Amino acid sequence: MTEQELLVDCLGRLNRTQITYYLTGSMASNYWGIPRTTHDLDFVIQLPPSAVSKIVSAFSPEYFMDEVSVRAAYQPPHQFNAIDTRSSLKVDFWLPKPAPFDRVMLSRRVRVTLFGEAAWITTAEDSILHKLVWNKITPSERQLADAAGVTAVQARKLDLAYLKKWGEVLGITPELNRLLSGEIRPKST
């Protein structure tokens, strides 16, 4: 199973559960920006405790998803995963934190079509901000290059006021300014 097939399979399963979700991380920055090879598949899901068994059964038996680990995700780091038993590829699921930015990202998600499957995905602006936040936590040229790729492709469509507002709130204004000025550029392929 390829990463693309895995993505389509996961989207179909999530759509059928009707659990609120959005695609984030490298797959989202690939959609909005300059695609690169990635093995990361990250979803943020709004999962009430009453829906835990629903998501576990939606991914069974083709995925290993431990119900105890899913229930543990209500505590930091608010994350669990599923392993595709056919390919051994991993899918990460994150529960939204109660922080204002996490709530706003969820409310701003947009519906798109990816490889023929309906999908909820983070906005281009939120993808940029999220990459810069992760870079602040764990500095990485890859995070910066992904953010620069989205900025380059979406340049004229970006809501700059929104980016600057949240850049200030999230403490990433210097990196955001470097990104918007073109000082941080997409990685050449």
Side-chain angles (χ1 to χ4, degrees):
M1 174 172 285
T2 66
E3 285 84 0
Q4 179 179 322
E5 292 166 333
L6 181 72
L7 173 61
V8 170
D9 186 56
C10 289
L11 290 170
R13 291 168 191 269
L14 286 168
N15 289 335
R16 286 189 295 277
T17 66
Q18 299 184 344
I19 291 170
T20 301
Y21 76 91
Y22 63 87
L23 179 66
T24 189
S26 298
M27 286 289 190
S29 61
N30 278 356
Y31 177 82
W32 295 113
I34 298 171
R36 67 167 173 84
T37 302
T38 180
H39 299 291
D40 297 333
L41 190 49
D42 298 294
F43 290 98
V44 172
I45 62 170
Q46 199 168 43
L47 187 68
S50 60
V52 168
S53 57
K54 183 179 189 179
I55 194 167
V56 171
S57 68
F59 279 82
S60 294
E62 293 83 6
Y63 294 79
F64 173 75
M65 183 184 285
D66 180 53
E67 188 165 338
V68 172
S69 296
V70 176
R71 291 190 187 283
Y74 292 101
Q75 301 300 317
H78 305 287
Q79 185 264 345
F80 66 93
N81 57 50
I83 307 293
D84 176 48
T85 59
R86 300 157 293 185
S87 66
S88 298
L89 293 171
K90 182 174 68 116
V91 182
D92 289 322
F93 293 92
W94 301 84
L95 301 186
K97 296 178 192 126
F101 182 60
D102 289 78
R103 289 194 305 269
V104 168
M105 280 197 330
L106 184 65
S107 72
R108 287 173 39 92
R109 69 193 177 119
V110 293
R111 193 166 181 99
V112 300
T113 300
L114 291 172
F115 309 112
E117 185 71 45
W120 289 98
I121 189 170
T122 185
T123 64
E125 293 86 357
D126 290 334
S127 182
I128 290 167
L129 292 167
H130 197 246
K131 288 287 182 177
L132 293 178
V133 166
W134 272 104
N135 182 67
K136 183 179 174 183
I137 296 166
T138 308
S140 162
E141 288 300 315
R142 185 172 285 177
Q143 301 284 6
L144 293 175
D146 286 351
V150 175
T151 304
V153 172
Q154 302 297 324
R156 298 186 195 276
K157 299 175 190 171
L158 293 172
D159 182 342
L160 296 178
Y162 176 85
L163 283 169
K164 289 178 181 180
K165 171 191 168 192
W166 282 103
E168 181 75 25
V169 171
L170 298 167
I172 55 171
T173 298
E175 294 81 6
L176 179 63
N177 287 341
R178 289 178 50 224
L179 186 70
L180 295 174
S181 72
E183 186 181 331
I184 301 172
R185 299 180 183 273
K187 197 170 191 156
S188 350
T189 54

